[in-house]
Amino acid sequence: MDKNYYITTPIYYVNDKPHIGHAYTSIACDVLARFKRLDGYNVKFLTGTDEHGQKVEKAAKSQNKSPLEYANFISKDFKSLTKTLNLSNDDFIRTTEKRHILAAQSLWSKLYENKHIYLDKYSGWYALRDEAFYSEKEIINGKAPSGADVSWVEEESYFFDLSKWQDKLLEFYDKNPNFILPKSRMNEVKSFVKGGLRDLSVSRTSFEWGVKVPNNDKHIMYVWLDALTNYLSAIGYPDTLENEYVNFWPADIHMVGKDILRFHAVYWPAFLMAAELPLPKRIFAHGWWTNEGKKISKSEGNVIDPLEIISSYGLDQIRYFLLREVPFGSDGDFSKTALLARINGDLSNDLGNLCQRVISMIYKNCNGFIPKKCEKLNDRDIIFHNKYNSLYENVKNEIDKQSFHEAIKLIWAFIADANKYIDEQAPWKLRKTDDRRMNDVLWILADAIRKIAIIVQPFMPDSSTKILDQLSIDISERNFSYLDSKHAIKTNKINSPSPIFPRIEE
Ligand code: MSP
């Protein structure tokens, strides 16, 4: 079985500071990367910054900086965000790095040699915000379909023969029905491609901030052709015999926002086919967040700063909220009420209290040792205990579809079940009447919490570590192979528990 897994975030434009949208994509990828590692995969998780193009050049000018100075400056913010979000990325690529420029120029040369690039003249609309070309029929009331301003561009340009790839793309989508998820997005892409593809302008001459086109340095590469190549540059392309390339290409998943699906699901596969390279296995397009019901935009002044909300509410709390609140793939609304309900309800009441109750009862009443595995489970115990055997498989199935919210729902159904069990069995009463039964009940619950904490690790790495530490679970026994029925909690000496998810009153 192929146990390598390559996952990428989009690379972020350095024209502005990081915001919640960037954090969202990155956190989702991090959960997937951590999940796969715990599941025994050799993972490469890539993120980085997209530093060329007119948009970045313009932003730099407005700050009286050279584009590179400016890119260095903002790229640092994105790099430091990876730490703030506790991302487990294995690499951080910048498109101004040598390894990337080499890869982008090599891919260009390959397309050129294969006769898929030709020189002509472009005249048409260009939207700076999207860094995208639009045809006359796409323009709505003088704007791009995304609402971005457009300007008329006329310049000598190289073209990629995208129109020739229409049938091959459609054939590929049909053969690979899960290539684009969610399914509704696949239909959108298909109908866009069926509507006809025009050759794509892939170079510019009217500004300078980009990767030079090989053998014609009047031209710089179109920023999207440059940017998409990052997924290859980070694994050693053009050296296709290099270990990283051999292990990790084709990528298992490119995670993107819905606004940049077309570039990933139409242009990128066409470039790759034209360069005779294998196609990624999946493109997942997630939805967009609004803020208290309003579209997020700088002009509205309602941009959500990830650093701010993390310092107010806690990192794991935000990671949990973003992935639980909204079905992954749909749009969602960021509201304080909803956030507090999740923190105080799901985290404090459900998971936090369960851990606190069980661990402190064990600490106080079992001399600080996890009780011995009970020898005789009653029928109720068996029903409860056995349910946990399906936890891993069920959660894994949802994660493999990127249904993070469903995966979390499943885990929380187990947590609810454990809370129900503890209320029914009332070990605090057994303490006075039946010590042995109390020990059995607490053993079952401690083992349930161990399993919950193990499977929650990808979502909330810090908090789950605290729980596993409180239960003194050995570091080497925290991966998913310890979720099977052969493994159970040992008679560890435990530490005095402290609350993991304090309630937040506002
Ligand atoms: N540089 C390109 C990507 C090149 S990938 C080869 C780019 N960068 S970006 O910085 O503008 O956007 C990065 C991601 O942030 C996109 O996936 C986009 O969907 C996401 N988001 C931006 N605003 C968002 C929300 N309000 N909500 C959720 N995600 C959003 O595009």
Side-chain angles (χ1 to χ4, degrees):
M1 188 173 84
D2 177 10
K3 274 284 197 181
N4 292 314
Y5 195 83
Y6 182 26
I7 172 166
T8 66
T9 72
I11 47 171
Y12 303 114
Y13 284 130
V14 291
N15 64 316
D16 213 347
K17 283 186 139 3
H19 60 67
I20 191 76
H22 305 121
Y24 185 46
T25 322
S26 292
I27 289 171
C29 289
D30 186 54
V31 170
L32 203 42
R34 286 177 186 271
F35 195 96
K36 289 290 168 187
R37 279 192 208 103
L38 289 165
D39 208 12
Y41 284 75
N42 172 28
V43 172
K44 179 160 177 107
F45 168 20
L46 175 69
T47 186
T49 41
D50 187 354
E51 307 190 3
H52 291 127
Q54 216 171 345
K55 185 150 89 165
V56 173
E57 193 185 71
K58 193 176 157 201
K61 245 190 215 139
S62 75
Q63 303 279 315
N64 288 324
K65 289 203 160 88
S66 76
L68 186 59
E69 261 176 339
Y70 188 67
N72 285 339
F73 177 67
I74 304 272
S75 183
K76 272 206 198 98
D77 287 344
F78 279 97
K79 211 168 196 174
S80 100
L81 186 70
T82 62
K83 301 278 173 279
T84 315
L85 299 178
N86 197 3
L87 301 186
S88 60
N89 57 301
D90 304 282
D91 198 349
F92 185 99
I93 190 142
R94 301 182 53 189
T95 55
T96 46
E97 283 175 65
K98 256 202 200 126
R99 59 172 172 163
H100 174 73
I101 293 167
L102 170 71
Q105 289 180 330
S106 304
L107 184 70
W108 175 287
S109 300
K110 183 81 184 166
L111 296 174
Y112 192 78
E113 277 158 29
N114 288 359
K115 303 206 171 7
H116 296 297
I117 284 181
Y118 62 92
L119 191 60
D120 203 342
K121 194 174 164 216
Y122 179 77
S123 52
W125 297 104
Y126 193 76
L128 189 65
R129 195 179 83 195
D130 305 346
E131 296 278 20
F133 300 95
Y134 290 106
S135 69
E136 193 64 53
K137 67 172 191 221
E138 286 177 293
I139 302 297
I140 311 159
N141 299 328
K143 300 233 182 212
S146 60
D149 291 332
V150 289
S151 56
W152 187 257
V153 171
E154 273 188 29
E155 59 191 60
E156 184 184 83
S157 170
Y158 284 97
F159 281 81
F160 171 73
D161 61 0
L162 184 64
S163 59
K164 294 207 183 105
W165 296 96
Q166 183 167 341
D167 292 340
K168 293 222 169 59
L169 284 168
L170 290 170
E171 200 180 305
F172 180 78
Y173 303 145
D174 283 339
K175 279 203 189 126
N176 300 277
N178 293 324
F179 174 60
I180 300 168
L181 285 183
K183 285 241 176 336
S184 56
R185 299 279 172 210
M186 171 66 111
N187 298 335
E188 260 175 48
V189 169
K190 271 190 189 166
S191 61
F192 171 73
V193 174
K194 279 183 190 151
L197 296 174
R198 289 172 311 134
D199 287 356
L200 181 71
S201 164
V202 286
S203 76
R204 306 287 311 270
T205 51
S206 52
F207 64 96
E208 291 186 346
W209 183 232
V211 177
K212 285 197 176 356
V213 163
N215 302 318
N216 188 349
D217 59 14
K218 233 172 67 197
H219 288 252
I220 53 163
M221 284 168 60
Y222 173 39
V223 66
W224 270 101
L225 174 52
D226 158 0
L228 287 160
T229 313
N230 90 87
Y231 303 132
L232 289 173
S233 345
I235 48 169
Y237 182 85
D239 185 355
T240 53
L241 298 175
E242 220 249 339
N243 269 348
E244 287 245 296
Y245 181 91
V246 173
N247 285 340
F248 294 118
W249 196 257
D252 290 271
I253 184 164
H254 296 317
M255 190 79 84
V256 299
K258 62 180 183 179
D259 53 318
I260 56 172
L261 178 60
R262 185 186 295 183
F263 302 96
H264 284 83
V266 181
Y267 301 170
W268 182 228
F271 295 152
L272 289 169
M273 284 196 256
E276 298 162 293
L277 292 170
L279 270 48
K281 294 179 202 157
R282 176 167 301 169
I283 316 288
F284 193 104
H286 66 67
W288 270 47
W289 286 89
T290 49
N291 185 359
E292 306 285 347
K294 291 215 178 79
K295 193 173 176 223
I296 298 178
S297 84
K298 259 211 285 191
S299 52
E300 283 277 338
N302 66 349
V303 176
I304 302 174
D305 178 352
L307 305 183
E308 245 172 67
I309 52 169
I310 287 167
S311 77
S312 307
Y313 300 102
L315 171 63
D316 279 356
Q317 285 80 347
I318 295 293
R319 288 174 62 113
Y320 177 83
F321 175 77
L322 290 176
L323 294 184
R324 171 63 186 87
E325 189 62 12
V326 175
F328 200 64
S330 308
D331 291 339
D333 185 43
F334 194 98
S335 88
K336 248 185 205 161
T337 320
L339 174 62
L340 288 182
R342 291 286 173 206
I343 293 177
N344 291 334
D346 303 11
L347 298 183
S348 253
N349 288 354
D350 300 345
L351 177 56
N353 271 349
L354 173 69
C355 296
Q356 185 68 21
R357 287 205 282 181
V358 173
I359 301 175
S360 61
M361 270 216 78
I362 294 177
Y363 187 71
K364 284 188 202 136
N365 302 301
C366 310
N367 293 327
F369 283 89
I370 305 281
K372 276 214 294 285
K373 182 173 180 170
C374 55
E375 271 145 35
K376 238 177 135 225
L377 298 170
N378 67 29
D379 290 350
R380 174 66 180 102
D381 300 341
I382 290 171
I383 294 172
F384 174 67
H385 193 63
N386 284 354
K387 266 198 190 165
Y388 278 76
N389 292 335
S390 62
L391 180 66
Y392 159 73
E393 276 299 329
N394 293 349
V395 170
K396 181 169 124 39
N397 283 339
E398 297 302 337
I399 293 289
D400 281 339
K401 296 183 278 184
Q402 289 73 54
S403 289
F404 301 109
H405 61 294
E406 292 294 349
I408 294 179
K409 271 197 219 164
L410 281 171
I411 302 171
W412 258 254
F414 281 97
I415 294 173
D417 209 37
N419 277 316
K420 196 166 149 225
Y421 179 83
I422 192 173
D423 286 341
E424 268 171 30
Q425 304 296 321
W428 45 90
K429 281 190 196 149
L430 294 170
R431 185 167 60 95
K432 294 175 202 139
T433 54
D434 187 347
D435 238 25
R436 208 165 140 182
R437 177 67 193 150
M438 175 193 76
N439 280 344
D440 288 354
V441 167
L442 289 176
W443 175 80
I444 290 185
L445 284 163
D447 196 47
I449 292 175
R450 176 186 71 94
K451 287 179 173 146
I452 290 166
I454 287 179
I455 204 131
V456 159
Q457 291 177 98
F459 298 94
M460 297 190 285
D462 289 339
S463 314
S464 52
T465 298
K466 280 187 201 153
I467 302 172
L468 291 165
D469 286 349
Q470 288 185 3
L471 291 172
S472 302
I473 306 296
D474 198 90
I475 301 280
S476 65
E477 298 181 358
R478 296 180 180 189
N479 65 56
F480 293 163
S481 66
Y482 288 86
L483 290 174
D484 66 15
S485 54
K486 291 199 290 287
H487 293 95
I489 195 159
K490 296 175 182 158
T491 52
N492 305 329
K493 173 145 186 44
I494 60 161
N495 302 311
S496 161
S498 53
I500 313 278
F501 301 107
R503 283 183 71 81
I504 300 184
E505 307 296 345
E506 207 157 308

